[in-house]
Amino acid sequence: MRAAVLYGAGDVRVENVPDARLIEPTDALVAVSRACICGSDLWPYKLMQPGEPPRRMGHEAIGVVEAVGSGVRTLKVGDVVVMPFAYSDGTCAFCHEGLHTSCVHGGFFGTVELPGAQAEALRIPLADGTLFALPVGADDALMASLLTLSDVMGTGHHAARAAKVGRGRTAAVIGDGAVGLCAVIAARRLGAERIIMMGHHPDRIALAKEFGATDVVKERGEEAVARVRALAGGLGVQSVLECVGTEEAMRTAIGIARAGGAIGRVGVPHYEAIPGSEPAFYNNLTIAGGPAPVRAYIQELLPDVLEGKIEPGRVFDRVIGLDDVPDGYRAMNEREAIKVMVKP
Ligand SMILES: [Zn+2]
């Protein structure tokens, strides 16, 4: 079968690899109907060091179950399933608490340990706990939005929850990538009265406004902080959704947060220590967030997707075949595309 393999910075190739197959009795084999390229895939794409082992990429997919192991109880061949970016048993203490990304038997797709979803098929460990069977056919018109439940929509929702977004509150979203745009959807869905999008790409800003952003701040750094604070009556915003993962983004988040406010961070951090310890302390800020337990959120978000109340699939602005995955990485890295969908 064909799959995308990352060999080094800027070097992703589509190759013939051994067919995915069942290994454990609790595995399922899924034929990928739709996958995508994630903003977080761009970190290794940019920064992979010589000597690091090759990596089969991709952690977001919708597919059709092709085979199940003898220990799989809830899934059957032919089921259309969404695959969260992390696998989980669904039974441990953390899974019961809705924190599937901390599952004691879990892990992540698209790593050196477990091949990813930018492929024709993949093996799903702990299939009963991991996969979510969808009440749709494999070619449903809502497929793009359903695909976002494997990561970006759930991640945006997690940012909003961690930032304590609620009815009547002010929110700011840092980052105009697919997660930031989904964070706008999530903030609106949870009742934020004012949603300030911080970004500067015209196409992304336009989409953010359609998703519910009430204000846009294009400045960066100190200027951006001043502008957001001014928009929020001089006191700052109650909820900050940090969807980038850089030190500068966290510094901005702490700078724009209102005293007593909360920051929900979902951008994979690429810095050692959280900056702004002093202002965060004196302003009584809550800093929360991490990898989103998207498996736990599918149940909550799915009805809104099926009813068309939210349309997170609009973040996909390019659809490619598997052989074009290298160009898909390039396009996202150069910010030519917001998010690329892959149809193997
Ligand atoms: Zn678990």
Side-chain angles (χ1 to χ4, degrees):
M1 67 170 201
R2 308 277 288 160
V5 187
L6 182 68
Y7 280 94
D11 181 10
V12 61
R13 305 174 208 169
V14 177
E15 296 185 332
N16 289 314
V17 299
D19 284 348
R21 61 184 181 88
L22 301 176
I23 296 176
E24 301 291 335
T26 47
D27 288 349
L29 184 66
V30 165
V32 177
S33 315
R34 307 277 197 290
C36 38
I37 302 173
C38 185
S40 64
D41 292 336
L42 298 179
W43 287 107
Y45 179 75
K46 281 188 282 213
L47 299 173
M48 189 164 170
Q49 299 298 309
E52 283 186 53
R55 214 166 121 177
R56 297 259 298 276
M57 300 297 288
H59 54 258
E60 303 153 281
I62 278 183
V64 179
V65 175
E66 278 200 328
V68 294
S70 58
V72 173
R73 306 262 172 264
T74 61
L75 298 158
K76 58 183 189 309
V77 171
D79 280 350
V80 177
V81 290
V82 58
M83 179 199 99
F85 63 80
Y87 64 91
S88 54
D89 58 13
T91 56
C92 77
F94 293 119
C95 285
H96 278 302
E97 289 166 21
L99 195 59
H100 296 68
T101 44
S102 292
C103 176
V104 297
H105 299 115
F108 297 91
F109 291 100
T111 55
V112 174
E113 294 76 32
L114 186 65
Q118 290 158 15
E120 287 180 296
L122 82 166
R123 171 192 160 238
I124 310 288
L126 304 171
D128 281 328
T130 302
L131 297 175
F132 190 103
L134 295 168
V136 298
D139 272 316
D140 195 277
L142 294 171
M143 209 40 88
S145 285
L146 293 166
L147 177 57
T148 67
L149 297 178
S150 70
D151 187 347
V152 287
M153 186 59 225
T155 296
H157 179 68
H158 191 54
R161 290 273 298 263
K164 301 181 183 174
V165 172
R167 216 146 282 292
R169 282 173 63 103
T170 52
V173 175
I174 302 176
D176 58 7
V179 170
L181 292 166
C182 287
V184 172
I185 296 175
R188 185 186 195 181
R189 186 179 167 277
L190 293 173
E193 185 180 276
R194 190 152 196 192
I195 303 170
I196 302 167
M197 163 52 87
M198 302 179 72
H200 50 271
H201 296 81
D203 53 336
R204 297 166 188 233
I205 286 168
L207 194 50
K209 283 183 175 166
E210 288 182 45
F211 283 162
T214 55
D215 303 88
V216 173
V217 168
K218 295 176 189 168
E219 291 84 352
R220 298 182 198 232
E222 295 290 311
E223 273 179 72
V225 170
R227 182 106 171 80
V228 173
R229 296 192 75 89
L231 280 171
L235 300 179
V237 293
Q238 292 160 313
S239 297
V240 184
L241 290 65
E242 199 283 279
C243 306
V244 178
T246 60
E247 191 171 348
E248 189 198 348
M250 182 50 77
R251 206 178 291 282
T252 300
I254 289 168
I256 63 176
R258 188 186 209 265
I263 296 166
R265 58 182 190 141
V266 293
V268 179
H270 282 71
Y271 48 86
E272 275 296 310
I274 294 178
S277 165
E278 254 189 36
F281 176 82
Y282 282 103
N283 288 319
N284 272 284
L285 300 185
T286 299
I287 299 176
V294 296
R295 181 65 177 75
Y297 294 147
I298 295 173
Q299 199 84 49
E300 178 180 346
L301 298 170
L302 181 61
D304 282 9
V305 170
L306 293 176
E307 289 165 27
K309 284 187 187 165
I310 58 173
E311 296 179 291
R314 294 178 65 195
V315 298
F316 293 106
D317 55 351
R318 187 171 297 195
V319 181
I320 61 172
L322 193 55
D323 286 335
D324 295 322
V325 162
D327 192 56
Y329 273 80
R330 183 204 54 77
M332 275 183 62
N333 194 40
E334 291 173 10
R335 300 208 143 226
E336 197 180 289
I338 301 175
K339 191 165 177 71
V340 174
M341 185 194 291
V342 183
K343 284 174 86 170

Coordinates of all heavy atoms in Angstrom, one line a residue, residues 87-96 99-106 126, ligand 1:
Y87 N -5.0 7.1 20.4 CA -5.7 5.8 20.6 C -5.8 5.6 22.1 O -5.0 6.1 22.9 CB -5.1 4.6 19.9 CG -3.7 4.2 20.4 CD1 -3.6 3.3 21.4 CD2 -2.6 4.7 19.8 CE1 -2.3 2.8 21.8 CE2 -1.3 4.3 20.2 CZ -1.2 3.4 21.2 OH 0.1 3.0 21.6
S88 N -6.9 5.0 22.6 CA -7.2 4.9 24.0 C -8.1 3.7 24.2 O -8.8 3.3 23.4 CB -7.9 6.1 24.5 OG -9.0 6.4 23.7
D89 N -8.0 3.1 25.4 CA -8.7 1.9 25.7 C -10.2 2.1 26.1 O -11.0 1.2 26.0 CB -8.0 1.0 26.8 CG -7.9 1.8 28.1 OD1 -8.5 2.8 28.3 OD2 -7.1 1.3 29.0
G90 N -10.5 3.3 26.5 CA -11.9 3.7 26.9 C -12.3 3.1 28.2 O -13.5 3.3 28.6
T91 N -11.4 2.5 28.9 CA -11.8 1.8 30.2 C -11.0 2.2 31.4 O -11.4 1.9 32.5 CB -11.6 0.3 30.0 OG1 -10.3 0.0 29.6 CG2 -12.6 -0.3 29.0
C92 N -9.8 2.9 31.2 CA -9.0 3.2 32.4 C -9.5 4.4 33.1 O -10.5 5.0 32.7 CB -7.5 3.5 31.9 SG -7.3 5.1 31.2
A93 N -8.9 4.7 34.2 CA -9.4 5.8 35.1 C -9.4 7.1 34.3 O -10.4 7.9 34.4 CB -8.4 6.0 36.3
F94 N -8.4 7.4 33.5 CA -8.4 8.7 32.7 C -9.5 8.7 31.6 O -10.1 9.7 31.4 CB -7.0 9.0 32.2 CG -6.0 9.2 33.2 CD1 -4.9 8.4 33.4 CD2 -6.2 10.3 34.1 CE1 -3.9 8.7 34.4 CE2 -5.2 10.6 35.1 CZ -4.1 9.7 35.3
C95 N -9.7 7.6 31.0 CA -10.7 7.5 29.9 C -12.1 7.8 30.6 O -12.9 8.5 30.0 CB -10.7 6.2 29.2 SG -9.3 6.1 28.0
H96 N -12.3 7.2 31.8 CA -13.6 7.4 32.4 C -13.8 8.9 32.8 O -14.9 9.4 32.9 CB -13.7 6.5 33.7 CG -14.1 5.1 33.3 ND1 -15.3 4.9 32.7 CD2 -13.5 3.9 33.5 CE1 -15.5 3.6 32.5 NE2 -14.4 3.0 33.0
L99 N -10.4 12.0 29.8 CA -9.1 12.5 29.5 C -8.4 11.4 28.7 O -7.4 10.9 29.2 CB -8.3 13.0 30.7 CG -7.1 13.8 30.4 CD1 -7.4 15.1 29.7 CD2 -6.4 14.2 31.7
H100 N -8.9 11.1 27.5 CA -8.4 10.0 26.8 C -7.0 10.1 26.3 O -6.3 9.1 26.0 CB -9.3 9.7 25.5 CG -10.7 9.3 25.9 ND1 -11.6 10.2 26.5 CD2 -11.4 8.2 25.7 CE1 -12.8 9.6 26.7 NE2 -12.7 8.4 26.3
T101 N -6.5 11.3 26.2 CA -5.1 11.5 25.7 C -4.1 11.1 26.8 O -2.9 11.0 26.6 CB -4.8 13.0 25.3 OG1 -5.5 13.9 26.3 CG2 -5.4 13.3 24.0
S102 N -4.6 10.9 28.0 CA -3.7 10.4 29.1 C -4.0 8.9 29.4 O -3.5 8.4 30.4 CB -3.9 11.2 30.4 OG -3.5 12.5 30.2
C103 N -4.7 8.2 28.5 CA -5.0 6.8 28.7 C -3.7 6.0 29.1 O -2.7 6.2 28.4 CB -5.6 6.2 27.4 SG -5.9 4.5 27.5
V104 N -3.8 5.2 30.1 CA -2.7 4.5 30.6 C -2.2 3.5 29.6 O -1.0 3.0 29.6 CB -2.9 3.8 32.0 CG1 -3.2 4.9 33.0 CG2 -4.0 2.8 31.9
H105 N -3.0 3.1 28.6 CA -2.6 2.2 27.6 C -2.5 2.8 26.2 O -2.4 2.2 25.2 CB -3.5 1.0 27.5 CG -3.6 0.1 28.8 ND1 -4.7 0.0 29.6 CD2 -2.6 -0.5 29.4 CE1 -4.4 -0.7 30.6 NE2 -3.1 -1.1 30.5
G106 N -2.7 4.2 26.2 CA -2.8 4.9 24.9 C -1.6 5.4 24.3 O -0.5 5.1 24.8
L126 N -6.5 -0.9 20.1 CA -7.6 -0.7 21.1 C -8.8 -0.1 20.4 O -9.4 1.0 20.8 CB -7.1 0.3 22.2 CG -5.9 -0.2 23.0 CD1 -5.4 0.9 23.9 CD2 -6.2 -1.5 23.7
Ligands
ZN1 ZN -7.8 4.6 29.0

